[in-house]
Amino acid sequence: MKEIPAMIIYDSVDSEERPIRVYASDRADQSISFKDEGMRNELIFEYMKKFNLAFDVKPFVRDVLLFGGGAFSYPKHVISHYPDARMDVVDPDEMAYETARKFFFVDELEKDYDLAETHRLNPVTDFAQEYLKKTDKQYDIIINDAFDDLEIVYELFTADSLCLIRSHLKKSGIYVANVPGLRSIKNSEYLLDAVSTVKSVFSQVKIVKAFHYSHARTGNYVLFASDEPYEYPGEIKDVPDGSMIIGEDDLDLLR
């Protein structure tokens, strides 16, 4: 396993001059929170807003699992906007939750939503695969937002790992993954290979583009996988096939 990159925290403003707080490595912003009191549980990243489509299409969501806590921007949003949901957040950084409490207003979230009593937010210090091997919990939604600095965690996109993830979904559950790609999806080779691998495990796979800037050459795609035929607003209808199914033997080639 690679070492967890050193992180910095700084204050800035967004494109609309709204005060924000940023959690970043020396290569990229990893998590951002609005600073204004009424905005602290709202989302900034476009791809996280697309995560919400899983909640929109699924009739009832109770148990949610997130890989990659960062500064807990998305958990804050879920707890404050979906009152029936409870969330387990798995991150290998043992300081992630305390950092989020101290600098990114999660301490306020705990008080506002009585989390000490309701236990709706459960931080877990572990790697995603290791956690899944230890737990017998079943989830309505599992979200993969785990990154190794700028790179996704490739181990989570092998067929074996996807089978493990699927085994922890309830019957109508949805797997959601944030995957970077190029504006031209047909040139996004890893994304297409990942889609092919997910299709080998799940019967339904949909992709939604989540580019934050209209002029950006690269951005995010959000992948939704399930065994139920959900429909997502804005889904890409004609996704090309990838060239490979990703297996454990392919990991060295992908890094």
Side-chain angles (χ1 to χ4, degrees):
M1 293 289 183
K2 294 182 181 179
E3 293 184 2
I4 297 170
M7 305 297 291
I8 58 173
I9 297 167
Y10 65 92
D11 290 341
S12 185
V13 294
D14 70 359
S15 59
E16 298 180 31
E17 298 297 315
R18 295 174 295 189
I20 58 174
R21 180 160 293 164
V22 182
Y23 190 55
S25 69
D26 60 357
R27 299 175 67 193
D29 296 342
Q30 302 291 333
S31 194
I32 304 176
S33 175
F34 288 114
K35 290 182 63 182
D36 288 346
E37 187 171 352
M39 295 286 289
R40 290 173 179 174
N41 298 329
E42 302 304 318
L43 298 173
I44 296 178
F45 288 133
E46 187 66 23
Y47 77 86
M48 288 187 179
K49 296 176 184 178
K50 299 300 184 185
F51 287 169
N52 289 347
L53 294 177
F55 291 83
D56 295 341
V57 304
K58 196 175 186 312
F60 179 77
V61 174
R62 177 66 169 170
D63 296 298
V64 183
L65 174 61
L66 174 68
F67 303 143
F72 279 66
S73 295
Y74 195 65
K76 284 191 302 179
H77 182 79
V78 169
I79 296 301
S80 60
H81 287 72
Y82 300 98
D84 293 322
R86 54 195 179 198
M87 176 176 267
D88 295 334
V89 182
V90 177
D91 194 296
D93 183 358
E94 63 183 2
M95 294 302 296
Y97 190 67
E98 285 307 310
T99 299
R101 290 187 73 257
K102 185 174 182 180
F103 297 104
F104 291 91
F105 317 112
V106 171
D107 57 337
E108 296 178 7
L109 187 82
E110 292 174 338
K111 296 175 184 176
D112 292 344
Y113 294 91
D114 198 19
L115 297 185
E117 293 295 324
T118 65
H119 305 289
R120 290 179 58 212
L121 182 61
N122 176 37
V124 179
T125 302
D126 209 341
F127 291 95
Q129 288 169 303
E130 295 306 311
Y131 171 76
L132 290 175
K133 292 173 183 177
K134 297 170 187 173
T135 187
D136 58 1
K137 287 189 69 171
Q138 298 284 294
Y139 294 93
D140 296 292
I141 299 174
I142 296 178
I143 303 171
N144 178 7
D145 193 26
F147 275 74
D148 189 353
D149 202 2
L150 282 179
E151 296 184 348
I152 61 171
V153 179
Y154 294 109
E155 285 82 357
L156 292 176
F157 284 90
T158 66
D160 286 347
S161 290
L162 290 163
C163 287
L164 181 62
I165 289 167
R166 184 175 179 269
S167 72
H168 287 280
L169 282 171
K170 297 177 185 179
K171 184 177 179 181
S172 61
I174 303 173
Y175 173 59
V176 184
N178 170 25
V179 187
L182 301 174
R183 179 163 294 280
S184 171
I185 192 170
K186 68 180 181 180
N187 293 326
S188 301
E189 295 180 1
Y190 177 73
L191 170 64
L192 298 180
D193 289 346
V195 170
S196 293
T197 309
V198 178
K199 284 182 177 179
S200 74
V201 176
F202 291 89
S203 64
Q204 302 288 323
V205 181
K206 307 292 179 66
I207 295 287
V208 174
K209 185 177 284 189
F211 279 48
H212 192 72
Y213 298 107
S214 60
H215 61 275
R217 180 174 174 268
T218 61
N220 300 78
Y221 291 85
V222 178
L223 181 154
F224 298 89
S226 64
D227 292 319
E228 295 285 332
Y230 299 113
E231 298 292 331
Y232 302 90
E235 67 183 63
I236 300 172
K237 295 297 184 181
D238 298 312
V239 179
D241 292 330
S243 61
M244 64 184 293
I245 303 296
I246 302 169
E248 297 294 329
D249 294 340
D250 299 306
L251 292 178
D252 289 338
L253 298 175
L254 294 170
R255 291 189 181 96

